[in-house]
Amino acid sequence: MKQAKIGNPLRRRVFRDCLRDWKRYSMIFLMLVVTIGFVSGMYVANNSMEISLNKATDKLKRESGHFELAEKADPELIRAIETGERADVVSVFREKAYKEAEPEVEKAVREAVEENVREQVEAAIKEKVTSAVEEQLAAAEAMGMTVSAEQREETLREALDTAMKENFESAVSDALKEAYDSEEYRDALSDAMLDAKKEIDEEIDKEYDKLADRYELKETADPVPVKVYELFRKEASETLPADSSYTGKVRVFSERKEVNLYDILEGRAPQTDREIIIDRMHAENAGIKVGDTLKAGDCEFTVVGYAAFVDYTTLYENNTDTMFDAMTFDVAMVTDEGFERIHLPVRYSYAFCYETTPPDTQAEKAASDNFMKALITQVAAADEENEIKDYVPAYANNAITFAPNDFGKDKTIGGVLLYVLTAVLAFIFAVTISSTLDKESTVIGTLRASGYTKGELLRYYMSAPLLIVVLASIVGNVLGYTFFKNVVVGMYRNSYSLPAYETYWNVDAFVRTTVVPFVLMLLINVVVIIRTLRLSPLRFLRHDLKTTKRKKAMRLPKWNFFSRFRLRVFFQNIPNYVMLFIGILLVMLLLSMAVGMPSTLAFYQDTIVEMVFAEDQLILHSTEDEDGNPITTKTEGAERFSATSLERKSSVYNEEVMVYGIERNSRYISFSSEFENSSDGNSDDSSDVVSVYISKAYAEKYNVRKGDTITLSEKYENVDYVWKVYDIYDYSAGIVVFMPNDRFNEVFDLDPDSFTGYLSDRMIEDIDRKYIAKEITADDLIKLTRQLDHSMGAYMVYFQYVNVIVAAIILYLLTKIIIEKNERSISMVKILGYDNGEIASLYMLSTAVVVFFSEFVAIYLGYLLMTVLWKLMMMSM
């Protein structure tokens, strides 16, 4: 009978080992679960949100952009716009001008002809009457009658009056008929019309050149066909009859059926003229519930549902706002009948969708620019009274792009946290395995002496840690796809107006949070265990696991016994104290992240108002009004400035950099006199490279110093600018480059008097709002910080709790390992008769001193490491 094969008895010990050392393994298990669950939940929620948004773009037929007209467009204009072709504005304007000029020219020529005819008829009648009167008077004088001069004059006047009354008008009428039928009249009319057309052509060409230069209309491009949809809206105040303290603004749209649809998250769509659906996030922030009454302007509506509008994933009231505002700004939709009930001016907004979707952002930028030029020409050609009030392509619409862009930035934060936690895990695994091998050295020596191979022991000691990793990965991923994912989704939904969420499998999250820890544990186990198993069984039995030769005992100072003993304990435990120091350093790094990020936000909130250049910053659509006159202000202290955005390109991330042109001797941005007085910013003529100031934030983020060279590029064009850093300007609110305004105009090939807007410490109120593209005030920045606090507050607290839990686990594990490594020495001292107080004095005092000094050093090193990690995180955002 064949004997049954006996299984390896070491396999039976794996679970017993886990139960025997359950405290350590439970802490490792808990740390892995928290780490894997948190990061997995973040990546899963982030990825799923991005996929959900992308699907909603197609499902809910999101616009490619929108524009607003001053007046409603007729069907003919809509059809012309949809072709995407540019109208021949010059020809249209000329034809209109010619038609308007024709009656005026004809009237002028007729008036000139009539005036000439009247003069000729009057002269002819006067000549004829005068001749007849002279003949009569001559006959009278021949008969011996005496005619005085007075009688002669009186007779001539009476005869002229009578002739003019009886014959002048009929003679003029006959003469005009003959004149209008003559070749001379037609020639005169033709010559006058030619002269008028010449003047019209000159005026139209002059005005069109201005328009063409501003919008680059002379460049040829292929048509961009689109489909245009009405998206009319009304801007109203929002009040709640049930809450008199609340006031806000609501943008009410008429019923949407074809484009920019919505996802109903609760309730239903409006069905009567007294029902309304509103944005879900705003409703939660303002405390508006389904069934509540809401007033839009003077009209009351019943809220019948919450919705997420695909073109308002982030509640930007205006695309030029510094920050969105979900607290007091709302987006809503009513039926067409309900829209008519709101007695407010209609904003004639139109959405458009490309017939052929551009493949990338650059192609979309080119298509948008071409369509905008076609839109300008078509509107101008159709109606001189109509005008474009607003134009925003989807790729530049913050209400559409801000949320998905923020998801990408959060991945960066999650990645940095994951890297730190991975390093912590590697450290914990190495220390735990080393401690286990040291603790079981006698067992290992016995097993090796009994014939067990190194491979068998390697597999045995790897089994428990890997089993813990597998179980923690399972539990962590379950929590990541359930609890942690819901927490992160809740934070996103607390900031953005997102459509219905659906969870999707994330391979990246699985690799980062499950495969990486497993491989890390495997490699560390293999390296540490194999390195230790090279020792002989006898050395294991003797508990001699040191790989270096034992050195001669160090001679200690002639102190008292306890001091010498403590010093000896310190030198004997240096490896353990190094391990303790590394652990404390990691703890401090985690706590720096947990506490530092909320403090950074709080500091930003407290100081952001002080970081602005001026109390009021105006950026203008155009620096000329409709009559071509420069837009000026009488506000005291207002200064012109220019601004544009470029990109700092790198293999990691392309960052937008603002470039400002500031007036020389400005009261808001101070340059050195040497810099301002030089033509190119250089103190000598040795370099043709333009010199600039850069902000302190730019210098610190990219390690740029005075005298270095920087390269910035146009975002959508192949144009680079190479500048020399003249100095660093103390400004930390943004990545900014400064130069004098005249130099700015030279660099960017603008007119010498060109500018973008005004800086002022007083509110500028004498510029028409229609010319203002963006205004940044202290109130805008307060709104920004308020929204940041509302959006990121929960995330910061969540992040803090996770790090504190992980830090507590690390300290517990390190403390337990140090105690275990010294338990034999402590037992020996206790056998010799020392009481607990003396033992604590011998062992704990040395450790306490090490911990005390380690904390201070670790705080400083943790700060330095956090600075590096923060910079890495900012570099990729």
Side-chain angles (χ1 to χ4, degrees):
M1 184 176 179
K2 188 176 180 180
Q3 187 176 2
K5 185 177 180 180
I6 300 175
N8 189 345
L10 291 179
R11 297 175 184 173
R12 303 176 183 177
R13 292 195 60 198
V14 173
F15 291 101
R16 287 201 296 268
D17 288 345
C18 293
L19 292 175
R20 184 179 66 250
D21 204 5
W22 67 271
K23 292 182 179 179
R24 174 186 299 164
Y25 285 121
S26 63
M27 289 295 102
I28 295 175
F29 175 81
L30 180 60
M31 180 176 176
L32 284 170
V33 168
V34 172
T35 303
I36 293 173
F38 173 72
V39 180
S40 174
M42 178 179 291
Y43 273 85
V44 169
N46 198 298
N47 182 70
S48 299
M49 280 294 181
E50 287 184 325
I51 295 175
S52 298
L53 273 181
N54 291 333
K55 287 190 173 183
T57 298
D58 297 328
K59 178 182 176 182
L60 301 179
K61 300 179 180 179
R62 198 199 71 194
E63 65 181 35
S64 299
H66 66 266
F67 59 90
E68 181 183 343
L69 301 179
E71 298 179 0
K72 184 177 180 180
D74 57 43
E76 184 178 352
L77 174 57
I78 295 297
R79 286 193 294 270
I81 293 173
E82 288 181 332
T83 64
E85 298 178 350
R86 299 184 192 180
D88 189 352
V89 180
V90 174
S91 298
V92 172
F93 281 3
R94 282 175 179 166
E95 290 299 322
K96 288 183 178 180
Y98 293 166
K99 288 181 180 179
E100 293 175 357
E102 280 180 3
E104 296 295 329
V105 171
E106 186 175 1
K107 180 181 178 182
V109 172
R110 280 179 173 270
E111 288 177 351
V113 170
E114 183 176 351
E115 183 179 0
N116 186 45
V117 166
R118 285 180 175 276
E119 290 178 355
Q120 292 179 359
V121 169
E122 183 179 358
I125 292 175
K126 187 175 183 180
E127 181 181 359
K128 185 177 181 180
V129 170
T130 301
S131 177
V133 170
E134 289 294 334
E135 288 180 359
Q136 292 176 2
L137 292 176
E141 289 177 346
M143 294 173 58
M145 295 178 65
T146 302
V147 180
S148 64
E150 291 79 5
Q151 290 176 334
R152 182 182 296 275
E153 184 178 347
E154 181 66 24
T155 302
L156 180 60
R157 185 172 60 252
E158 290 177 356
L160 283 173
D161 289 343
T162 302
M164 291 294 290
K165 289 179 181 179
E166 294 177 353
N167 303 318
F168 181 75
E169 292 299 333
S170 59
V172 169
S173 178
D174 294 339
L176 285 175
K177 288 180 181 179
E178 183 179 351
Y180 291 155
D181 293 334
S182 67
E183 188 69 27
E184 291 80 2
Y185 171 76
R186 287 190 289 272
D187 290 342
L189 185 59
S190 178
D191 292 341
M193 195 63 203
L194 287 175
D195 291 339
K197 287 182 177 179
K198 184 178 180 180
E199 293 180 3
I200 289 171
D201 290 347
E202 291 177 353
E203 185 64 25
I204 288 177
D205 288 342
K206 181 180 178 182
E207 293 300 321
Y208 179 74
D209 286 343
K210 291 182 181 179
L211 186 69
D213 290 341
R214 180 181 299 177
Y215 297 106
E216 300 178 352
L217 298 179
K218 293 181 179 179
E219 296 179 0
T220 59
D222 295 331
V224 183
V226 300
K227 181 66 176 176
V228 177
Y229 305 89
E230 289 185 356
L231 205 67
F232 296 167
R233 70 178 194 264
K234 295 181 179 180
E235 308 286 339
S237 60
E238 182 183 74
T239 55
L240 303 175
D243 184 4
S244 59
S245 63
Y246 171 79
T247 57
K249 291 174 284 187
V250 59
R251 179 167 294 164
V252 184
F253 289 91
S254 58
E255 195 167 357
R256 299 182 174 192
K257 300 176 182 178
E258 297 180 286
V259 71
N260 285 345
L261 304 181
Y262 49 91
D263 192 359
I264 296 182
L265 305 175
E266 184 177 339
R268 58 175 175 81
Q271 297 175 352
T272 70
D273 62 354
R274 296 183 179 275
E275 295 179 340
I276 190 172
I277 57 171
I278 63 175
D279 180 83
R280 186 270 317 162
M281 184 178 64
H282 171 78
E284 293 180 357
N285 291 339
I288 305 174
K289 297 181 174 58
V290 174
D292 287 355
T293 299
L294 178 149
K295 289 185 69 175
D298 294 331
C299 297
E300 288 192 355
F301 293 91
T302 300
V303 178
V304 295
Y306 296 159
F309 297 89
V310 70
D311 55 330
Y312 280 95
T313 55
T314 312
L315 290 183
Y316 272 91
E317 182 179 358
N318 300 299
N319 196 52
T320 55
D321 287 349
T322 305
M323 189 66 178
F324 63 93
D325 183 10
M327 309 296 290
T328 61
F329 175 65
D330 191 13
V331 177
M333 192 196 75
V334 296
T335 62
D336 293 339
E337 294 77 12
F339 192 73
E340 294 297 328
R341 285 184 59 229
I342 304 175
H343 300 296
L344 290 170
V346 177
R347 302 283 292 271
Y348 297 106
S349 182
Y350 296 86
F352 65 87
C353 295
Y354 299 120
E355 289 190 0
T356 302
T357 304
D360 52 40
T361 303
Q362 289 193 350
E364 187 176 1
K365 168 69 166 56
S368 170
D369 289 347
N370 291 336
F371 173 72
M372 180 184 69
K373 295 169 185 177
L375 175 66
I376 291 170
T377 59
Q378 292 292 356
V379 173
D383 187 358
E384 291 184 6
E385 299 300 324
N386 208 346
E387 63 177 347
I388 301 172
K389 305 284 288 184
D390 191 21
Y391 176 81
V392 182
Y395 77 89
N397 189 346
N398 285 325
I400 291 174
T401 62
F402 188 91
N405 288 342
D406 193 42
F407 295 160
K409 294 175 183 178
D410 287 347
K411 280 185 178 180
T412 301
I413 298 176
V416 171
L417 176 63
L418 180 63
Y419 299 148
V420 174
L421 293 178
T422 301
V424 172
L425 289 174
F427 171 74
I428 294 298
F429 291 162
V431 171
T432 302
I433 295 166
S434 177
S435 174
T436 301
L437 294 177
D438 183 70
K439 183 179 180 180
E440 297 202 353
S441 60
T442 304
V443 176
I444 295 173
T446 303
L447 293 173
R448 290 280 287 114
S450 301
Y452 282 88
T453 65
K454 295 178 182 179
E456 289 175 319
L457 293 177
L458 173 65
R459 289 189 293 274
Y460 164 65
Y461 281 104
M462 285 174 57
S463 298
L466 292 181
L467 178 63
I468 297 300
V469 172
V470 172
L471 293 176
S473 298
I474 295 173
V475 176
N477 275 287
V478 170
L479 291 176
Y481 277 84
T482 54
F483 173 75
F484 287 104
K485 176 262 299 179
N486 291 334
V487 172
V488 177
V489 170
M491 291 189 296
Y492 280 136
R493 294 179 69 84
N494 191 45
S495 300
Y496 305 119
S497 302
L498 301 172
Y501 170 84
E502 185 177 351
T503 302
Y504 295 91
W505 169 254
N506 191 325
V507 177
D508 189 35
F510 176 76
V511 171
R512 288 172 179 265
T513 62
T514 302
V515 176
V516 171
F518 183 85
V519 173
L520 187 66
M521 176 70 88
L522 180 65
L523 293 176
I524 293 174
N525 271 276
V526 169
V527 172
V528 175
I529 295 175
I530 289 180
R531 181 171 176 270
T532 306
L533 288 179
R534 290 183 302 177
L535 302 176
S536 65
L538 183 59
R539 291 186 64 178
F540 277 105
L541 291 171
R542 292 176 176 176
H543 204 76
D544 181 16
L545 303 184
K546 293 183 179 180
T547 56
T548 58
K549 293 183 179 180
R550 185 181 299 275
K551 296 181 180 180
K552 187 178 180 180
M554 180 183 298
R555 186 176 296 276
L556 299 178
K558 294 182 178 181
W559 296 342
N560 61 48
F561 173 76
F562 278 92
S563 297
R564 289 164 60 88
F565 196 102
R566 294 189 193 101
L567 194 59
R568 183 73 68 187
V569 169
F570 173 79
F571 286 122
Q572 290 176 346
N573 284 276
I574 283 180
N576 296 335
Y577 290 144
V578 171
M579 175 190 67
L580 179 63
F581 173 76
I582 295 174
I584 293 175
L585 177 61
L586 291 172
V587 169
M588 291 302 173
L589 180 59
L590 288 172
L591 292 178
S592 295
M593 296 182 68
V595 178
M597 293 183 72
S599 299
T600 300
L601 179 59
F603 173 79
Y604 182 70
Q605 292 175 346
D606 294 337
T607 60
I608 188 171
V609 177
E610 302 173 1
M611 293 181 183
V612 296
F613 306 137
E615 294 295 325
D616 194 15
Q617 301 178 38
L618 286 186
I619 297 178
L620 305 176
H621 284 296
S622 171
T623 56
E624 293 182 350
D625 60 19
E626 295 173 348
D627 298 326
N629 300 318
I631 297 175
T632 60
T633 176
K634 295 181 180 179
T635 305
E636 184 179 353
E639 291 181 359
R640 292 181 176 185
F641 78 99
S642 296
T644 189
S645 63
L646 300 176
E647 274 194 337
R648 182 191 181 278
K649 295 183 177 180
S650 68
S651 58
V652 179
Y653 183 74
N654 296 340
E655 175 154 13
E656 182 176 306
V657 177
M658 288 300 300
V659 182
Y660 281 92
I662 306 297
E663 285 191 357
R664 294 180 186 268
N665 300 316
S666 169
R667 66 167 61 185
Y668 304 108
I669 306 293
S670 300
F671 301 135
S672 70
S673 57
E674 186 179 82
F675 176 79
E676 289 194 340
N677 294 332
S678 60
S679 60
D680 60 355
N682 291 300
S683 58
D684 52 48
D685 297 329
S686 61
S687 175
D688 294 331
V689 179
V690 173
S691 288
V692 296
Y693 272 76
I694 64 172
S695 65
K696 185 178 179 181
Y698 191 148
E700 291 182 347
K701 183 170 183 177
Y702 294 109
N703 293 322
V704 180
R705 299 179 181 177
K706 179 179 179 180
D708 290 351
T709 299
I710 61 174
T711 301
L712 301 179
S713 308
E714 294 282 359
K715 189 172 184 178
Y716 300 107
E717 300 176 19
N718 189 23
V719 179
D720 294 333
Y721 300 94
V722 180
W723 297 326
K724 181 180 179 181
V725 178
Y726 183 87
D727 208 344
I728 312 298
Y729 190 80
D730 188 14
Y731 177 72
S732 300
I735 310 299
V736 180
V737 172
F738 302 99
M739 66 178 70
N741 199 35
D742 54 353
R743 193 175 303 151
F744 181 98
N745 294 333
E746 291 176 7
V747 168
F748 295 102
D749 196 22
L750 302 173
D751 293 336
D753 297 330
S754 178
F755 68 101
T756 304
Y758 286 97
L759 299 176
S760 175
D761 278 335
R762 298 185 179 184
M763 297 302 296
I764 299 175
E765 299 177 349
D766 56 350
I767 294 180
D768 196 323
R769 307 302 299 181
K770 66 181 180 181
Y771 297 121
I772 299 175
K774 184 175 183 178
E775 182 174 16
I776 302 175
T777 65
D779 291 338
D780 294 319
L781 298 178
I782 292 172
K783 179 174 72 174
L784 182 149
T785 56
R786 180 185 65 208
Q787 185 62 53
L788 278 175
D789 183 62
H790 178 76
S791 302
M792 300 181 67
Y795 176 81
M796 293 295 184
V797 173
Y798 179 47
F799 182 70
Q800 194 172 20
Y801 285 156
V802 170
N803 281 324
V804 169
I805 291 173
V806 172
I809 294 173
I810 292 174
L811 289 177
Y812 173 82
L813 290 172
L814 290 174
T815 303
K816 182 175 176 58
I817 288 171
I818 291 175
I819 292 174
E820 289 175 349
K821 285 196 172 186
N822 286 280
E823 63 182 4
R824 180 174 298 179
S825 299
I826 294 173
S827 300
M828 187 65 67
V829 173
K830 201 165 188 176
I831 291 173
L832 294 175
Y834 288 88
D835 59 30
N836 292 337
E838 291 173 322
I839 294 174
S841 171
L842 291 172
Y843 286 93
M844 299 308 295
L845 184 60
S846 300
T847 304
V849 171
V850 171
V851 171
F852 180 78
F853 285 103
S854 295
E855 284 182 349
F856 283 95
V857 176
I859 288 174
Y860 177 70
L861 293 179
Y863 165 77
L864 294 180
L865 287 173
M866 188 62 216
T867 302
V868 174
L869 290 173
W870 184 264
K871 184 173 291 187
L872 290 174
M873 186 167 62
M874 293 295 104
M875 286 284 285
S876 56
M877 287 182 63

